[in-house]
Amino acid sequence: MSNLSGQKIIVGVTGGIAAYKSCELIRRLADRGALVKVVMTPGAEAFVTPLTFQALSGSPVHTDLLDPEAEAGMGHIELARWADKIVIAPATANFLARLSQGRAEDLLSTVCLAAKADISVAPSMNQAMWINAATQKNLSLIEQLGINIVGPDSGDQACGDIGLGRMTEPMKIIAALELDSASNPLTGKKVVITAGPTLEALDPVRYLSNHSSGKMGYAIAMASVRAGAETVLVSGPVNLDCPLGVKRIEVTSCAEMQSAAMAEAAKADVFIATAAVADYRPEQASPQKIKKHGNEMAIKLVRNPDILAKVAALGDHLFCVGFAAESEKLIENASKKLISKNLNLIVANDISDQSIGFGSDENAVTLIGPDFELELGKSHKRLIARKILEVIGEEITK
Ligand code: C5P
């Protein structure tokens, strides 16, 4: 039996050509015993009539925010309270923009704003609209709100273009909803994640650092919250907002990251080190701004502690995950780190491929455990994060 059976699900339909696929989605949800109510935006009504969705869901369709008759029955607040889940499929670029801003100018966006239910969106739009920076910015805001983004898929589009932006097939959306409803081994566990770079001061105005964006660690933190874990992010300076539901501890240097990570990890179940910690720091940070003199300058650097190895030494109660960025002999070098740092899992990525990794939204990694190797193809960091947590969940329940 599907874990969606008996769940109260609002299917939100917005104005895109993929609205015809929502018919199949509603049918399949009803097959699984879900109780479905449909909310349509005015744009959606241009593609499919409310009557179609009424027949498929067996329930009146909701279309209007300012309809006194509808409000006398199941108004927007009642609808929001009723739902266990909300899935918006298709979600147009316009709707994603409204959702990202918390706007309440139509019934569906108002219900989303008032609901405590889990929200998923299945974006659908032309490929150029999908890759537009404005859409991508809206999507990261939506992600930070804890909303689940399913798809889109790549391929032929109704407008004749080929690329990313096709709404994911209904059965894949249902699989994502079922996965989200499944009991997760990480629920109630404490997960501590390090992310971003560290800054090692030379003097009050200068420092040594690296280009880590923190995106991988933040994506893992979001996936960890979704999995129901108490999530702590020990973050170096990055240009990212703290995801909803995450406790963030902001640090600057390796020393600060180490003390925060050790304190948090002492009572944690899982420790994931994604931070690009500076391997060396200036032996002394000058208290005054260093003046220039002569043509050369030497700075003595000393080795920073390995935070991950120190946390891993706290004991076997912790499941420890490291990242290994390698430019050659990927598997061999990462496997050596798995052993030398006493880890349960290492995520290896090949940094010789410049289209992925640092700063990018995509990555391609291989997960290596003591007795397995799992290669994940090039994919969005959000999906890689979910897969990493899925594997951790399986490993801690073995
Ligand atoms: O040895 P290497 O720097 O390649 O190891 C990378 C892994 O170790 C990453 O998970 C990184 O977050 C962690 N690390 C750490 N403290 C350091 C150096 C690396 O936690 N000083």
Side-chain angles (χ1 to χ4, degrees):
M1 193 171 76
S2 165
N3 59 17
L4 298 178
S5 173
Q7 290 219 33
K8 298 176 193 143
I9 302 179
I10 289 180
V11 176
V13 185
T14 70
I17 180 60
Y20 77 92
K21 294 192 197 170
S22 316
C23 300
E24 176 74 4
L25 176 65
I26 292 160
R27 266 197 80 122
R28 298 297 155 228
L29 284 170
D31 286 351
R32 279 160 180 72
L35 307 167
V36 179
K37 287 192 190 297
V38 179
V39 176
M40 298 175 79
T41 61
E45 291 184 65
F47 290 92
V48 182
T49 66
L51 202 59
T52 310
F53 290 132
Q54 181 172 315
L56 291 167
S57 64
S59 183
V61 171
H62 303 261
T63 53
D64 236 326
L65 179 59
L66 302 174
D67 175 357
E69 222 172 87
E71 285 293 301
M74 192 173 245
H76 62 281
I77 299 298
E78 268 77 16
L79 268 172
R81 284 192 190 134
W82 175 84
D84 296 318
K85 277 188 189 310
I86 299 177
V87 54
I88 297 144
T92 58
N94 183 316
F95 188 79
L96 294 175
R98 299 210 293 280
L99 194 60
S100 73
Q101 291 179 11
R103 299 183 81 101
E105 56 196 32
D106 57 71
L107 180 61
L108 186 55
S109 53
T110 309
V111 168
C112 288
L113 202 57
K116 289 206 167 71
D118 284 341
I119 303 179
S120 300
V121 292
S124 171
M125 68 200 71
N126 164 268
Q127 54 82 24
M129 292 168 78
W130 172 256
I131 54 176
N132 189 296
T135 303
Q136 291 302 317
K137 201 167 146 212
N138 292 336
L139 280 161
S140 36
L141 286 172
I142 285 173
E143 260 191 316
Q144 278 158 27
L145 295 171
I147 292 171
N148 195 17
I149 301 165
V150 188
D153 287 349
S154 191
D156 293 340
Q157 301 203 301
C159 55
D161 279 5
I162 298 174
L164 261 178
R166 280 167 62 95
M167 186 176 107
T168 296
E169 292 308 315
M171 290 311 289
K172 282 216 270 185
I173 298 174
I174 289 182
L177 295 177
E178 284 178 335
L179 186 68
D180 237 25
S181 303
S183 62
N184 194 304
L186 288 171
T187 303
K189 303 277 188 215
K190 179 172 176 181
V191 176
V192 178
I193 302 150
T194 65
T198 64
L199 266 56
E200 310 297 334
L202 278 162
D203 67 18
V205 289
R206 304 181 181 97
Y207 56 79
L208 292 179
S209 190
N210 58 67
H211 290 297
S212 169
S213 66
K215 285 181 179 171
M216 193 67 240
Y218 276 60
I220 291 180
M222 281 179 224
S224 168
V225 171
R226 272 208 93 75
E230 176 194 344
T231 306
V232 180
L233 193 51
V234 181
S235 175
V238 293
N239 201 8
L240 299 169
D241 291 329
C242 181
L244 207 71
V246 171
K247 171 181 162 189
R248 176 165 69 174
I249 303 172
E250 293 178 73
V251 296
T252 306
S253 63
C254 170
E256 283 175 24
M257 186 174 274
Q258 182 187 6
S259 58
M262 293 289 275
E264 291 294 332
K267 287 205 179 114
D269 302 284
V270 178
F271 180 73
I272 308 173
T274 71
V277 184
D279 290 322
Y280 293 89
R281 66 177 186 280
E283 184 177 38
Q284 269 177 341
S286 163
Q288 308 301 334
K289 186 178 172 199
I290 300 167
K291 295 278 180 212
K292 55 178 161 302
H293 49 79
N295 288 334
E296 286 175 12
M297 176 183 175
I299 301 165
K300 186 169 178 195
L301 301 178
V302 292
R303 188 78 183 259
N304 260 337
D306 189 318
I307 301 172
L308 175 56
K310 289 207 181 302
V311 169
L314 286 176
D316 288 343
H317 68 283
L318 260 180
F319 187 94
C320 283
V321 184
F323 273 67
E326 305 290 340
S327 55
E328 54 177 350
K329 297 189 192 153
L330 179 70
I331 305 298
E332 191 185 321
N333 288 339
S335 303
K336 278 186 194 153
K337 271 179 203 165
L338 179 78
I339 294 163
S340 67
K341 298 196 188 208
N342 194 23
L343 308 178
N344 304 90
L345 179 70
I346 193 138
V347 182
N349 73 307
D350 181 357
I351 51 167
S352 63
D353 181 348
Q354 297 198 340
S355 70
I356 50 174
F358 268 1
S360 143
D361 287 328
E362 294 196 308
N363 209 345
V365 300
T366 304
L367 309 190
I368 307 171
D371 52 8
F372 67 90
E373 225 180 272
L374 179 63
E375 195 180 331
L376 308 181
K378 188 169 163 178
S379 163
H380 197 285
K381 286 181 176 169
R382 160 174 26 101
L383 300 177
I384 292 183
R386 274 195 225 153
K387 190 69 201 171
I388 292 171
L389 287 185
E390 206 182 304
V391 170
I392 295 172
E394 283 163 15
E395 290 295 305
I396 60 172
T397 40
K398 263 187 186 168

